[in-house]
Amino acid sequence: NIITFGLTLFTTGQLVYWLSTPQEDTGPSPDPALNIPAGQSLPDIYYFIVDSYGRSDLLASAYHYDNSEFIDHLRGLGFYVAECSQSNYVRTDVSLASSLNMDYLQNMDEMFTDIDNTNRRLLWEVLKHSQLRQVLESIGYETFAFATGFSWSEVDDADVYLTPSPLWSGLTEFEILLFETTPLRHLEDLDIISLKQLEGQRFRERTLFIFDSMDGLARMPGPKFVFIHIIPPHPPFVFGPNGEELNPQDFLNEQNQYPAREYAEGYVSQAKFINAQLESAAATLINESATPPVIIIQGDHGPWMQPDNRRFWILNAYNLPDHQDALYQTISPVNSFRVVLNAYLGGSYELLEDISYFSPAKRPYDLKAIPNLCTGR
């Protein structure tokens, strides 16, 4: 109670100081690299990050899964699919921080050049408040974002932050933590509840909520930048090929780890479901938007349990109406929005060399360049 009282006084003092101090406009200023043509209609920009979605050749060799029907469907909608694309980094937060800032981490802050640095706070900060977001908001775009279940990737201060109703089924992450760290955990030992299944239900709800929102987004006035981080086909494995509900616990062994066979089965199952949802979402956005939208569907990295070089092989597909000629087979995420800003907003961003960097999980900035040996078809 004493600590709470002290914190309350401290917070109240901060609030009084803030209210009594004249506030300066700290909003983003227009980017001098842009020269938007007069009368240009600004397109809505949709950025789908499909977590761990690998390139077609990887899915075929690693999982014997042919996703050519999905790729052909995207092409039929007007997408350019970069068949030799690699991610620039091998982990979600590092990869997104780079793509959303249109640059390599090493160029952004000296903290990211310290190979012994393990602090990710700045990484998450530049992910949420990226250069791309500032540029677009400075010219009138509104930022939309969805809940993901991972606080570090949730852009919860976006102009519009979308999350399912709190009245949905399932427990919150805090409630699950409460069960895991108190005597309530014995309810799971007695098979009265399954925390993995409850957690999986929330992932299902978030994912379905995203795809159910596409029609409303397409009809909403713009311009808007919509950041959509979709967790599947990344675990937990909660979707069957047709969307049927799966228990994620069924794919784990007694040590709560994924055996290779079970991981492959769950991954392919979710990829099939996500393919159908992405096809429908892309068609809805293209057909119902007043101005032809920009849509990027991109893996942040490849699936787990692959050799280091293959963990960079990603799905990378672009719907850039009238500007597909700006794309090329080895384009990587660091250049995605440089191309978009140049094509639609009169940008003058030079394209960077497409490089992939591997780093260990616990040393995110200890980077080693991995070559792209893909030659395409």
Side-chain angles (χ1 to χ4, degrees), residues 136-374:
L136 293 176
E137 289 180 353
S138 75
I139 57 173
Y141 274 79
E142 285 191 303
T143 299
F144 287 61
F146 287 86
T148 66
F150 299 97
S151 61
W152 53 264
S153 73
E154 291 182 320
V155 187
D156 51 9
D157 64 345
D159 296 300
V160 180
Y161 180 64
L162 300 163
T163 184
S165 167
L167 301 179
W168 64 357
S169 59
L171 299 177
T172 66
E173 281 75 9
F174 173 76
E175 290 165 339
I176 289 173
L177 179 64
L178 185 66
F179 269 94
E180 291 177 334
T181 57
T182 69
L184 290 173
R185 67 182 181 275
H186 296 304
L187 294 176
E188 186 170 35
D189 298 336
L190 298 171
D191 292 329
I192 296 176
I193 63 170
S194 169
L195 294 179
K196 288 293 183 185
Q197 193 164 10
L198 291 170
E199 183 183 17
Q201 180 63 21
R202 290 185 64 80
F203 276 95
R204 283 181 58 84
E205 295 284 353
R206 289 191 195 95
T207 304
L208 295 173
F209 175 74
I210 288 172
F211 289 115
D212 288 343
S213 302
M214 290 300 109
D215 183 72
L217 283 172
R219 297 175 183 274
M220 193 174 295
K224 52 186 176 291
F225 168 59
V226 187
F227 175 58
I228 307 167
H229 182 190
I230 299 169
I231 304 304
H234 186 288
F237 299 127
V238 297
F239 289 105
N242 300 307
E244 56 269 35
E245 184 173 343
L246 302 180
N247 184 349
Q249 190 67 49
D250 294 342
F251 297 88
L252 295 165
N253 60 21
E254 294 180 354
Q255 288 74 43
N256 258 357
Q257 297 174 333
Y258 289 97
R261 180 176 177 179
E262 283 73 10
Y263 178 88
E265 178 185 345
Y267 181 96
V268 170
S269 177
Q270 293 206 136
K272 291 178 178 178
F273 172 71
I274 289 300
N275 286 352
Q277 298 302 305
L278 288 171
E279 290 173 7
S280 176
T284 296
L285 296 176
I286 291 170
N287 295 330
E288 298 186 11
S289 296
T291 299
V294 168
I295 306 173
I296 300 175
I297 301 176
Q298 192 172 86
D300 52 346
H301 54 77
W304 298 351
M305 304 182 196
Q306 298 299 312
D308 288 353
N309 64 318
R310 292 191 173 203
R311 292 172 64 183
F312 295 93
W313 297 7
I314 57 168
L315 168 71
N316 199 3
Y318 300 82
N319 180 68
L320 304 186
D322 301 323
H323 292 285
Q324 306 287 57
D325 57 348
L327 300 166
Y328 52 97
Q329 288 296 305
T330 56
I331 187 172
S332 64
V334 74
N335 280 318
S336 293
F337 289 105
R338 287 174 175 262
V339 168
V340 169
L341 296 184
N342 290 349
Y344 294 95
L345 304 177
S348 55
Y349 292 90
E350 293 184 8
L351 297 191
L352 306 178
E353 183 180 358
D354 294 294
I355 307 174
S356 298
Y357 292 99
F358 177 83
S359 61
K362 296 182 179 181
R363 293 167 63 88
Y365 317 119
D366 185 3
L367 302 169
K368 176 181 69 173
I370 300 293
N372 186 346
L373 303 179
C374 178

Side-chain angles (χ1 to χ4, degrees), residues 113-139:
T113 64
D114 181 359
I115 64 173
D116 296 319
N117 178 24
T118 59
N119 192 326
R120 284 180 134 91
R121 289 185 181 178
L122 179 61
L123 188 66
W124 300 341
E125 174 64 22
V126 299
L127 188 162
K128 293 185 179 186
H129 303 100
S130 65
Q131 175 70 12
L132 175 67
R133 179 181 174 185
Q134 293 179 48
V135 168
L136 293 176
E137 289 180 353
S138 75
I139 57 173

Side-chain angles (χ1 to χ4, degrees), residues 15-16 68 73-74 76 80 111 114 137-138 194 205 338:
L15 180 60
V16 169
S68 59
H73 190 97
L74 290 181
Y80 177 95
M111 277 188 63
D114 181 359
E137 289 180 353
S138 75
S194 169
E205 295 284 353
R338 287 174 175 262

